[in-house]
Amino acid sequence: MSLPVTDTRVTYPSGALVSTGTVLHVEPVGDHLAVVLDETACHPVDAAWPDQPADTATITFGAGTSAVEVAVTDCVVAATDGTQLYLGADIPVKKGTEGWAFLVAHLVSAEATPSAVEGETARVEVDASTRHALSAGHTGCHLASLALNAALADAWRKEVVPDALGAPDFDALACESSRIAPNASTDRYRIGKSLRRKGFDPAVLDDLDALGSRIRNTLDGWLDSGAAVRIDREGELLTDRRSWHCELPGGPAVIACGGTHVASLGEFSNIAVWLEREDVDGAVVLSMVSTVVPAG
């Protein structure tokens, strides 16, 4: 079984839901097969930062009366140095490491996929409603984090790295985890000794109602603008740099991002935000849940 030597071409950043590619590699993984194509529209989950889940999709192998359509049970980032295929958290190097190919591996049932053959053509089709709901959740996540940064700007006594709009980047400095769900996201932030030494005053978290009100006011203003959203990318390969652009009223926001997004804030009627804090091992953990309410 040959292993690919170049990264997978990905079309999901442009919003593609359907793609046709050549099967480059098929490998058993337990009771599944990992199928690697040269091109795919299916967004994979990345174990290095698993914020956005994999798309829901199907793959059709063959054509005509012999075509076989199977469900993609999972889709993950994989990598190879030419000697072995590594999936997800088992990848031993950072993305983009020289001499490695970084790939999208579609996991399908081995029992249901007797016809996956290297060199043949396969068609990927992504479920549009699930993709859109995850895209909405991801866009809402970026907006909520920027609004949180702005709301906490006065809590810093020292200068720190700024975010895409120039506010102190609390999100980048404190975020422990970020998880995207359909039309929603959950971010967890840890405020411990390290963040305090950087100049952050956690007293601002004593009044979460006031903090939440500031966040929601900012979000309401942004949504009223109906700002355009797009993904810019330096190339078509999985490891090519991509960034989220949103033309907000105060100026464009640009955030490095490998996920999928909606095309306009006009698609949202509201973004609801809930905040919760807890004391854990001498630190404060802040959780922020944002939920997107679609327009119409």
Side-chain angles (χ1 to χ4, degrees), residues 118-138:
E118 293 177 9
E120 74 174 345
T121 298
R123 183 178 187 268
V124 173
E125 185 168 355
V126 174
D127 181 76
S129 61
T130 303
R131 161 73 69 79
H132 189 270
L134 290 171
S135 297
H138 206 152

Side-chain angles (χ1 to χ4, degrees), residues 255-270:
I255 297 175
C257 182
T260 63
H261 291 275
V262 300
S264 167
L265 301 192
E267 297 183 34
F268 302 158
S269 66
N270 183 38

Side-chain angles (χ1 to χ4, degrees), residues 170-253:
F170 173 84
D171 178 76
L173 293 169
C175 191
E176 277 193 327
S177 66
S178 181
R179 294 293 183 268
I180 310 300
N183 294 311
S185 65
T186 301
D187 293 273
R188 285 176 57 86
Y189 303 96
R190 183 180 179 86
I191 301 94
K193 293 180 180 179
S194 176
L195 204 66
R196 293 187 183 97
R197 284 195 294 268
K198 287 182 172 68
F200 183 78
D201 182 1
V204 69
L205 304 179
D206 292 340
D207 190 346
L208 293 186
D209 288 340
L211 179 60
S213 179
R214 291 196 294 274
I215 293 170
R216 285 185 284 272
N217 287 340
T218 298
L219 290 172
D220 288 346
W222 289 344
L223 295 188
D224 286 344
S225 73
V229 177
R230 71 178 190 273
I231 297 294
D232 283 352
R233 51 181 178 162
E234 296 179 355
E236 296 182 340
L237 301 182
L238 179 62
T239 57
D240 285 333
R241 184 177 176 83
R242 298 186 291 277
S243 57
W244 174 83
H245 285 240
C246 187
E247 301 297 327
L248 295 173

